[in-house]
Amino acid sequence: MSDEDVTDDNVDLLPLKTFAEQAYLDYSMYVILDRALPNIGDGLKPVQRRIVYAMSELGLRAGTKFKKSARTVGDVLGKFHPHGDSACYEAMVLMAQPFSYRYTLLEGQGNWGSPDDPKSFAAMRYTESRLSAYANLLLSELGQGTVDWLPNFDGSLEEPKQLPARVPNILLNGTTGIAVGMATDIPPHNLREVGNACIHLLKTPKATLADLMKFVKGPDYPTEAEIITPRKEIKAMYNKGTGSIRMRAKYEKEKGDIIITALPHQTSPAKVLEQLAAQMTAKKLPMVVDLRDESDHENPTRLIIVPKSKQIDVDELMTHLFATTDLERTYRVNMNVIGLDGRPGVKNLREMLLEWIEYRLNTVTRRLEYRLTKVKERLHLLDGLLIAFLNLDKVIRIIRKEDEPKKALIKAFKLSEIQADYILDTRLRQLARLEEMKIKAEQKELRKERKEIEGILGSKAKLKTLVRNELKADIDEFGDARRSPIVSREAAQAMDETELISSEPVTIVLSEKGFVRAAKGHEVDPITMNYKAGDQYLDSAMTSSNQLAIFIDSTGRTYAVQCHTLPSARGLGEPLASRLNPPPGSKFCGVVTGASDSLVLLTSDAGYGFVTTIEDMITRNKKGKVLMKVPPGVSVLPPVIVPSMEDYWVVMVTSAGNMLIHHIDEIPVMPKGKGIKIINIPAAKLKSRDEIATAVAVINDQDSLQITSGKRQKIFSQDDMASFEGERAQRGHKLPPGLRAVERLIPIHEEQET
């Protein structure tokens, strides 16, 4: 089929690219201008404006009887806003929640949600609502020619393009919205502060941002939590129209407990407690023993945190919680609004106030012009009515005798058609003599009002004075004290993980097959513990639960694991390889713990070694850190803590029963490497693995040494060990027969012997 066969005079053929671009552009502009962004004039999005207007049309003003919310939603959807009812009702709920809006536009009866769960509100068929007194500031001048009107979606009704707001609602309640390619996040502010800033701008149009910030200290959220953003950052935010605001919960101390009395804006108490409980469950909050929520009607926010003891630094604890929970939150600020020119744009504080003042001046001008027109029309009618009174007999005669009394009246008294109609429509009871006095009195009042209005319209100064006085009156009626105090606080900082874990003595036990566990206390004997079939004790380290355990494998790689995360010694442990990623074919050879500056002797079964520090062994990489260079076929011996490089000796034993003792200072301290030769093993025997180093220990001048070989044990005194002393890299001397297959060297301190 050819293109000519499908061509229609009423169809435009467009390339898909052109059509898609235009359709997306149209959609994005609709979302930006007609859904997501507020107007600077009244600070409302279309759905909010339609809800407020529909409720005013239903007669649901402040002080009237409540009506079902479903009635309002039905009117809004049926007349002005053909979208989903749930979205419309959610927008309605938001405007009624005192914890969401700084100055609520609606009052509600029933369940309208709670700070704990703002979306826990009842269905619209259950709740009732009406407009708040504050909403009157947006509606009071609506029928006075102040705004433009647009046809609704089906052209059957008209709706206001925007509402004639008497106060800068755009800043007072703020708003959030996501459009296509842009978003808005305007924080709420205090009416007194913003109103006084507007009054100052009306007096001094050239006022700077610094001048305005003498009045507007910062945002004012509907919560008593503290704003801790530095003043310098707040000024930068107001200068650019973008930035961020940080809020922090308020707390006080009561009988040793911590009482949280105010949470940041839109923070759920339940979520905060959940976050705290999660840290307690993970044993990352040992200084807290209990949590309670004692919130009620008298105390909307009262969360109790019970410290472990009175020695706990409460301020330090709270600083950690601010950094790790929603007790401190950051709010984005992006003051993107639809301006008077109908275009979206980010405006700073001064631009927003100046543009709103311009809108307000235009609104008041239109209101005065509308009223002036009405006054002039009324005076015109009264002029005609007064003529009728002064010639009452003649008027009655004309009405009685003339076939067309209207034309006759116009001709006889030089009246306008409007005046003639008004005279003819006047009731007989109004033709009493007293009415003449009333007409003249009304004329006098109207002429006085006309003169005042014309005077205001003819003078910009008088117009600004009127707007200023009206703002003052509204501030006096609806203004209140700031809720969110602005205070200077140090930045929150989370505690180091080791500080958060309770310090309890534990013994880390590693088996030959790489199973690891943590036994409580230092009194346990790891050698006599139960092991899996075919497995046995390899190495152990005494430490505390808030320290790191450093493991080393046969390839010379080290790994670090938090001790408190290791399984309990009640079981047989778990394979260390399941937590880490060691190279295939490698096996774990030992474990060591200590302070970061502790010295450790690392050795290989080739008889080489060097001294390093715990800090050099620590790594967060699950694949480990290559620390000791180990030739192929060579393995690593369990690491040994070196208390000092003075007055300590190294003891190394080979599988042939040779033992050598030399001073520790002959071994270098290195961050990594192969090390140097500690004991001499013939190269041929080492290559064939006929002889290797089997055990190593570090002792001081007063220590004895227990040598374990199979089931035999012998304690060597200082005198016994003297014959084995030599220089580094020597062959050493043979141990007595029966002790040459050494499995372990255990230093015995003087107090242990006692």
Side-chain angles (χ1 to χ4, degrees):
M1 186 180 288
S2 65
D3 289 344
E4 295 179 1
D5 296 330
V6 296
T7 302
D8 190 326
D9 292 339
N10 297 320
V11 175
D12 290 333
L13 294 177
L14 293 172
L16 180 61
K17 178 177 178 291
T18 305
F19 172 78
E21 283 181 357
Q22 188 59 45
Y24 187 73
L25 182 63
D26 291 344
Y27 167 74
S28 62
M29 291 307 296
Y30 167 75
V31 173
I32 291 169
L33 299 176
D34 221 30
R35 187 182 297 180
L37 298 191
N39 192 289
I40 197 167
D42 56 12
L44 300 177
K45 300 178 189 178
V47 64
Q48 296 169 327
R49 187 179 303 116
R50 287 163 177 166
I51 290 169
V52 172
Y53 175 64
M55 292 184 75
S56 71
E57 289 295 288
L58 282 169
L60 297 176
R61 294 293 182 105
T64 61
K65 189 178 178 182
F66 288 92
K67 281 189 180 177
K68 286 287 185 184
S69 301
R71 172 76 182 276
T72 299
V73 172
D75 258 41
V76 173
L77 300 187
K79 294 179 179 178
F80 309 113
H81 196 72
H83 294 277
D85 59 339
S86 59
C88 179
Y89 182 49
E90 278 195 34
M92 189 174 166
V93 168
L94 197 67
M95 293 191 289
Q97 291 177 334
F99 49 84
S100 295
Y101 258 48
R102 181 63 179 83
Y103 299 95
T104 54
L105 296 174
L106 274 62
E107 293 176 355
Q109 279 192 159
N111 177 11
W112 287 81
S114 67
D116 212 32
D117 185 5
K119 294 199 173 183
S120 62
F121 50 85
M124 58 185 170
R125 61 182 176 272
Y126 299 118
T127 61
E128 295 179 336
S129 56
R130 68 183 178 196
L131 292 170
S132 67
Y134 174 83
N136 197 48
L137 293 177
L138 307 180
L139 293 163
S140 61
E141 300 173 0
L142 188 58
Q144 300 177 29
T146 50
V147 295
D148 295 326
W149 294 77
L150 300 171
N152 69 339
F153 61 89
D154 62 1
S156 60
L157 295 168
E158 285 193 329
E159 60 176 311
K161 187 177 180 181
Q162 49 195 314
L163 299 181
R166 293 171 58 94
V167 291
N169 185 60
I170 183 70
L171 284 171
L172 301 185
N173 274 319
T175 192
T176 60
I178 300 174
V180 178
M182 61 177 65
T184 184
D185 289 278
I186 303 173
H189 289 76
N190 184 273
L191 174 56
R192 286 191 185 279
E193 294 181 5
V194 175
N196 287 327
C198 290
I199 290 171
H200 183 71
L201 264 180
L202 284 165
K203 289 180 180 177
T204 316
K206 292 185 179 180
T208 63
L209 178 64
D211 295 332
L212 297 177
M213 284 193 66
K214 293 177 183 177
F215 303 97
V216 183
K217 308 296 183 184
D220 186 22
Y221 291 87
T223 172
E224 295 177 3
E226 299 173 342
I227 293 174
I228 62 167
T229 307
R231 183 170 175 80
K232 186 178 178 181
E233 291 183 22
I234 295 177
K235 186 175 182 180
M237 176 198 79
Y238 281 143
N239 188 41
K240 295 179 182 177
T242 59
S244 62
I245 292 291
R246 290 197 304 279
M247 290 197 82
R248 180 178 288 183
K250 283 178 70 175
Y251 70 94
E252 54 193 42
K253 302 166 192 174
E254 184 180 295
K255 296 180 181 178
D257 294 343
I258 303 168
I259 316 295
I260 297 172
T261 57
L263 292 172
H265 182 49
Q266 292 180 333
T267 297
S268 164
K271 185 177 179 183
V272 169
L273 289 177
E274 185 181 331
Q275 291 172 334
L276 293 171
Q279 290 193 36
M280 291 177 70
T281 304
K283 297 183 179 179
K284 292 184 177 180
L285 212 57
M287 60 283 289
V288 175
V289 294
D290 192 20
L291 301 171
R292 295 195 306 274
D293 185 355
E294 295 184 356
S295 305
D296 53 28
H297 290 294
E298 292 183 5
N299 303 289
T301 302
R302 185 177 169 84
L303 305 183
I304 315 296
I305 300 175
V306 183
K308 189 174 185 179
S309 69
K310 292 183 179 180
Q311 282 70 43
I312 298 293
D313 187 332
V314 170
D315 294 330
E316 186 180 357
L317 168 61
M318 290 305 297
T319 297
H320 169 74
L321 296 181
F322 290 142
T324 57
T325 69
D326 282 350
L327 288 174
E328 181 176 317
R329 290 183 63 180
T330 300
Y331 302 88
R332 188 178 67 169
V333 175
N334 180 27
M335 300 201 288
N336 192 2
V337 296
I338 299 171
L340 296 181
D341 57 0
R343 296 172 178 269
V346 176
K347 303 182 188 297
N348 62 31
L349 178 65
R350 187 174 184 276
E351 289 170 342
M352 289 192 79
L353 291 178
L354 282 174
E355 199 156 331
W356 181 82
I357 287 171
E358 183 183 348
Y359 170 79
R360 181 61 186 155
L361 290 171
N362 290 338
T363 302
V364 173
T365 300
R366 291 181 65 169
R367 186 189 81 200
L368 293 174
E369 288 174 345
Y370 178 83
R371 178 59 185 163
L372 183 60
T373 301
K374 292 293 183 183
V375 167
K376 287 180 177 179
E377 288 176 356
R378 181 62 180 167
L379 281 171
H380 182 63
L381 292 176
L382 291 176
D383 287 342
L385 194 59
L386 190 60
I387 290 172
F389 271 107
L390 295 174
N391 300 277
L392 190 56
D393 293 339
K394 189 175 180 180
V395 169
I396 292 172
R397 189 169 59 251
I398 290 172
I399 293 172
R400 288 182 65 186
K401 292 185 177 181
E402 294 293 334
D403 294 334
E404 295 183 354
K406 180 179 176 180
K407 289 183 179 180
L409 287 172
I410 291 171
K411 185 178 180 181
F413 301 109
K414 296 181 180 179
L415 302 173
S416 67
E417 287 193 19
I418 296 172
Q419 287 174 320
D421 284 333
Y422 187 67
I423 291 169
L424 291 171
D425 291 339
T426 303
R427 294 178 180 180
L428 285 172
R429 72 173 63 179
Q430 292 177 267
L431 300 180
R433 185 66 185 170
L434 290 173
E435 286 298 320
E436 181 181 348
M437 304 299 294
K438 290 182 180 180
I439 291 170
K440 288 182 177 179
E442 187 178 351
Q443 280 181 323
K444 184 179 179 182
E445 288 296 322
L446 290 175
R447 287 189 183 114
K448 181 182 177 182
E449 186 179 351
R450 179 179 64 185
K451 185 178 180 181
E452 288 177 358
I453 294 174
E454 287 174 344
I456 294 171
L457 290 173
S459 169
K460 287 186 178 180
K462 288 184 178 179
L463 181 63
K464 287 183 177 181
T465 300
L466 175 64
V467 171
R468 202 162 62 233
N469 291 338
E470 289 178 349
L471 259 176
K472 283 181 181 177
D474 293 335
I475 290 170
D476 291 341
E477 185 176 355
F478 294 98
D480 56 4
R482 166 175 282 277
R483 290 191 196 172
S484 304
I486 300 175
V487 294
S488 176
R489 300 286 188 202
E490 292 184 7
Q493 189 172 1
M495 292 183 188
D496 187 82
E497 193 169 352
T498 56
E499 297 178 42
L500 293 170
I501 302 157
S502 57
S503 179
E504 298 173 355
V506 292
T507 302
I508 309 301
V509 182
L510 179 67
S511 75
E512 284 191 349
K513 290 189 179 295
F515 280 74
V516 67
R517 47 188 153 165
K520 287 185 178 181
H522 292 163
E523 295 76 25
V524 296
D525 183 0
I527 298 174
T528 59
M529 293 173 68
N530 291 329
Y531 293 88
K532 287 181 178 288
D535 198 5
Q536 61 181 352
Y537 169 82
L538 174 65
D539 196 15
S540 62
M542 291 186 291
T543 182
S544 57
S545 55
N546 61 347
Q547 296 296 316
L548 285 171
I550 312 296
F551 298 90
I552 189 166
D553 69 7
S554 56
T555 66
R557 283 179 167 83
T558 60
Y559 309 82
V561 178
Q562 285 286 349
C563 291
H564 76 277
T565 66
L566 295 174
S568 168
R570 292 176 182 173
L572 299 176
E574 66 177 38
L576 193 54
S578 65
R579 289 172 173 254
L580 307 170
N581 297 323
S586 64
K587 65 176 185 177
F588 290 100
C589 298
V591 59
V592 68
T593 64
S596 59
D597 59 349
S598 297
L599 298 174
V600 181
L601 174 63
L602 298 182
T603 54
S604 67
D605 62 10
Y608 284 76
F610 64 94
V611 175
T612 188
T613 64
I614 290 285
E615 187 175 5
D616 288 326
M617 299 177 74
I618 293 174
T619 176
R620 299 293 180 185
N621 193 341
K622 289 189 175 183
K623 292 183 178 180
K625 174 183 181 180
V626 178
L627 196 75
M628 190 174 194
K629 188 176 180 182
V630 181
V634 175
S635 188
V636 176
L637 297 177
V640 181
I641 287 289
V642 178
S644 170
M645 295 297 287
E646 297 178 4
D647 302 327
Y648 276 84
W649 302 73
V650 177
V651 182
M652 183 170 273
V653 179
T654 70
S655 57
N658 285 44
M659 184 168 80
L660 175 67
I661 302 174
H662 66 82
H663 202 278
I664 189 73
D665 64 6
E666 294 186 54
I667 301 177
V669 178
M670 303 164 56
K672 63 179 180 178
K674 178 182 178 181
I676 61 173
K677 187 179 288 187
I678 296 175
I679 192 168
N680 185 24
I681 302 174
K685 290 187 176 183
L686 186 61
K687 187 175 182 180
S688 63
R689 304 288 288 176
D690 288 338
E691 185 180 354
I692 58 173
T694 55
V696 65
V698 174
I699 60 175
N700 69 17
D701 292 336
Q702 284 76 41
D703 287 346
S704 300
L705 183 68
Q706 177 180 306
I707 299 177
T708 302
S709 177
K711 292 184 179 180
R712 293 192 64 183
Q713 293 181 352
K714 181 174 176 60
I715 295 177
F716 280 58
S717 66
Q718 288 287 328
D719 293 338
D720 296 332
M721 290 186 281
S723 60
F724 294 93
E725 293 179 11
E727 295 182 0
R728 181 188 62 79
Q730 288 184 343
R731 184 78 175 116
H733 296 280
K734 288 282 184 181
L735 286 164
L739 288 174
R740 292 177 180 175
V742 177
E743 296 173 358
R744 278 183 294 279
L745 298 173
I746 303 173
I748 299 177
H749 304 304
E750 189 176 355
E751 62 271 14
Q752 288 178 293
E753 291 183 285
T754 304

